[in-house]
Amino acid sequence: MYEWNNIRPLSFKAAILISISVVLTACNGLKTEFDSQQEHKLKLPVILEDTNSDPGVAEFSLEASEGRTEFAEGFPADTIGYNGSYLGPVLRFSSGEKVTIHVKNSLSFPTTVHWHGLVVEGEMDGGPHQGIMPGESWSPDFTVDQPAATLWYHPHLMGSSADQVYFGLAGLIYIDDEVSEGLNLPDNYGVNDIPLIVQDRNFRSDGYLDYRTSMMGVVPGDTILINGTLNPYLDVNRETVRFRILNASNSENFNFRFSDDSSFQQIASDGGFLEEPISRESLILAPGERAEIIVDFTKSGRDTISLMNGNSPILDFNISGKEMASAAIPDFLSDIAEIPEGDNPRVRVFELQSMGVTGTINGKSFDMDRIDEDVPLKETEIWVIRNLGGMMQTSGHPFHVHGTQFQVISRDGKDPPLEERGWKDTVFVKTGEEVKIKVRFSKEGVFMYHCHILEHEDGGMMGQFRVQ
Ligand code: C2O
Ligand code: CU
Ligand code: CU
């Protein structure tokens, strides 16, 4: 039934190897080296057009295909993307809207498209069971049944998610609702409402992406791409600007701050607005996590500021003299109703253990034909996630659950930090740590829980549950 599952995208790798040798031969006489220092204007993904004119109904078309991307001028590299050569457009939905997405696989290998953070039935989720063979299409439909949020989409084919994301398959999903529209937040896309899809990458001297794993896992990238832009800069007005940040890396955590150590307001976590903005000076995102922040560029006496990852600048802002009237950031953002707990919630324990690029959950490696947990529909449960560490371990595992947005109850018995008191779908669990979350599923079907280090996910650190 799932024979396609064993087909790895070898043809893509082979194609890359062949083109690399072709380029190397062709460029033999050329002395120019790929220059990762060249500055580029930050690219912005387009917002995909809804082709259905009925209000309340939206229809979108996505096509995954192979293409070429010049991360630096004159150095085209083989990449993959949705409706383009690297990354994909923003899918923008309204809460309550009926959505159909036509996904065409024009790649030479199978893929899937998973809507990370979207609360939909298991069959629409785009996990490993919804494989799309080359040349085929998949058209999930669903009603958007959750509040305003910044979510994302990416492949989820068993054993190939890491490769496919690394070479370009990922995109953002925005959900709007009455709350987001009523808040008077910066919402001029590309001007004061800016997506930041952040990824670490390695490049070869010929400009190709260089995906390498070692015994320890994926080799961390020495270069940061934002929206697929190498060494990006962005011109901003002197106004408040909202950034929707996604860590779309395979395995790296980012520690964001600004070069002048200025503070900013975090307004949203994975699944939507926090109750109130939180003033912060730094923000850590693990793979799969998102945050929305608001930066006040009117306060700055400077003309340039950089967004930093730790001590490295990753995006330079040129602040123009133009002063723009900005609305004040509201003190209150949204009500977050606590998930009702019931009398005696079922408790499930998930013990994470890793070894290099592989790992297990509760001692088991992922099996497509095994349902690990049977979970009743619309009943609150407490999930206890423990990171037992392991050999050649990473600093922690971002634990992700499909088909829901959950609430974090505690970290090692203590209250979660303010930024984790909103809706979450991915939670970082450090080595030795125990995180408790409250979950409730409102849609039926088979869903995944897994470590969002993509090499761990591909390496078996994933399980599945059936909600009914
Ligand atoms: Cu973002 Cu199961 O994935
Ligand atoms: Cu997901
Ligand atoms: Cu992991």
Side-chain angles (χ1 to χ4, degrees):
M1 188 173 175
Y2 299 118
E3 315 89 304
W4 53 264
N5 184 40
N6 296 321
I7 307 170
R8 301 290 314 273
L10 286 177
S11 50
F12 182 62
K13 283 183 179 158
I16 283 181
L17 286 177
I18 293 162
S19 2
I20 285 170
S21 41
V22 169
V23 165
L24 285 180
T25 331
C27 292
N28 242 350
L30 238 86
K31 289 278 169 298
T32 355
E33 280 254 306
F34 175 75
D35 173 12
S36 67
Q37 298 312 307
Q38 245 176 51
E39 271 217 307
H40 300 92
K41 193 173 161 121
L42 180 73
K43 292 178 195 162
L44 289 171
V46 298
I47 297 183
L48 191 61
E49 195 199 339
D50 163 12
T51 55
N52 191 312
S53 55
D54 281 3
V57 183
E59 220 168 319
F60 298 100
S61 297
L62 279 183
E63 182 182 13
S65 64
E66 288 149 48
R68 313 204 82 196
T69 304
E70 287 191 26
F71 294 102
E73 288 73 40
F75 289 86
D78 284 347
T79 52
I80 47 184
Y82 300 105
N83 302 6
S85 69
Y86 191 84
L87 298 177
V90 179
L91 301 177
R92 196 154 198 174
F93 312 149
S94 297
S95 196
E97 195 168 41
K98 277 186 163 42
V99 176
T100 306
I101 307 173
H102 305 286
V103 184
K104 167 125 212 262
N105 180 6
S106 297
L107 300 161
S108 56
F109 45 86
T111 190
T112 81
V113 186
H114 165 57
W115 324 108
H116 178 131
L118 199 65
V119 179
V120 291
E121 283 77 23
E123 285 181 2
M124 307 300 162
D125 182 58
H129 294 287
Q130 283 89 42
I132 318 168
M133 291 301 283
E136 289 187 354
S137 292
W138 175 61
S139 294
D141 55 71
F142 47 82
T143 299
V144 181
D145 189 16
Q146 66 196 92
T150 300
L151 315 175
W152 66 302
Y153 59 97
H154 62 79
H156 219 297
L157 190 73
M158 192 49 216
S160 305
S161 301
D163 266 28
Q164 294 191 7
V165 172
Y166 199 91
F167 285 98
L169 293 183
L172 286 167
I173 299 172
Y174 289 2
I175 299 178
D176 304 305
D177 68 2
E178 280 166 15
V179 174
S180 65
E181 269 145 27
L183 276 175
N184 206 8
L185 293 167
D187 62 356
N188 191 352
Y189 183 79
V191 178
N192 62 13
D193 184 0
I194 314 276
L196 301 177
I197 305 171
V198 189
Q199 303 176 302
D200 69 301
R201 290 293 181 266
N202 282 307
F203 283 92
R204 303 171 53 110
S205 57
D206 59 9
Y208 274 71
L209 290 170
D210 187 12
Y211 179 57
R212 275 177 283 147
T213 50
S214 70
M215 294 276 284
M216 296 289 294
V218 64
V219 179
D222 56 13
T223 305
I224 302 294
L225 294 180
I226 304 188
N227 303 343
T229 322
L230 184 68
N231 213 11
Y233 69 88
L234 179 69
D235 298 329
V236 290
N237 297 316
R238 251 172 234 286
E239 64 177 329
T240 53
V241 178
R242 170 187 192 173
F243 295 98
R244 308 188 189 222
I245 313 175
L246 159 67
N247 180 344
S249 283
N250 284 34
S251 77
E252 287 300 290
N253 283 5
F254 292 122
N255 187 357
F256 298 107
R257 58 182 193 88
F258 288 88
S259 51
D260 62 350
D261 285 318
S262 55
S263 61
F264 52 87
Q265 308 285 315
Q266 182 177 351
I267 56 167
S269 57
D270 298 339
F273 291 118
L274 301 168
E275 290 210 306
E276 293 167 5
I278 315 168
S279 180
R280 311 194 64 181
E281 266 142 38
S282 67
L283 165 76
I284 295 177
L285 291 183
E289 288 186 304
R290 286 89 62 211
E292 292 184 35
I293 64 167
I294 293 191
V295 180
D296 187 350
F297 288 108
T298 63
K299 281 201 198 130
S300 177
R302 301 162 201 257
D303 296 331
T304 56
I305 290 181
S306 300
L307 175 67
M308 313 284 285
N309 171 35
N311 290 320
S312 320
I314 57 170
L315 171 59
D316 295 332
F317 299 105
N318 302 322
I319 310 166
S320 81
K322 211 177 344 156
E323 195 132 348
M324 307 281 285
S326 303
I329 304 167
D331 296 335
F332 180 80
L333 297 164
S334 78
D335 266 317
I336 297 177
E338 214 184 298
I339 300 176
E341 186 159 318
D343 283 342
N344 204 0
R346 160 104 200 224
V347 178
R348 293 178 208 264
V349 176
F350 298 89
E351 292 186 328
L352 316 179
Q353 233 168 341
S354 65
M355 200 181 112
V357 284
T358 64
T360 56
I361 299 180
N362 291 339
K364 295 177 287 186
S365 184
F366 182 69
D367 181 347
M368 284 277 279
D369 299 322
R370 184 190 65 224
I371 297 291
D372 299 281
E373 310 286 332
D374 267 294
V375 179
L377 185 70
K378 293 182 183 160
E379 273 182 33
T380 302
E381 302 199 343
I382 308 294
W383 287 18
V384 181
I385 308 135
R386 290 191 193 126
N387 181 347
L388 305 185
M391 296 253 292
M392 295 176 288
Q393 67 207 32
T394 49
S395 61
H397 302 288
F399 186 81
H400 169 52
V401 186
H402 287 210
T404 192
Q405 290 289 337
F406 56 72
Q407 289 174 351
V408 180
I409 304 172
S410 65
R411 282 192 174 271
D412 278 341
K414 294 190 206 77
D415 284 346
L418 292 176
E419 66 270 21
E420 288 186 332
R421 301 201 189 166
W423 296 109
K424 294 284 292 167
D425 56 48
T426 306
V427 66
F428 192 70
V429 188
K430 291 190 216 92
T431 301
E433 201 177 24
E434 179 184 280
V435 174
K436 281 191 189 161
I437 62 174
K438 210 179 335 178
V439 289
R440 192 166 196 272
F441 299 92
S442 62
K443 309 285 172 194
E444 296 189 18
V446 172
F447 299 94
M448 307 291 137
Y449 54 84
H450 59 91
C451 172
H452 219 288
I453 290 179
L454 298 176
E455 288 72 21
H456 286 172
E457 174 191 330
D458 283 343
M461 212 169 178
M462 176 155 74
Q464 50 189 345
F465 58 101
R466 183 191 288 119
V467 178
Q468 57 187 3

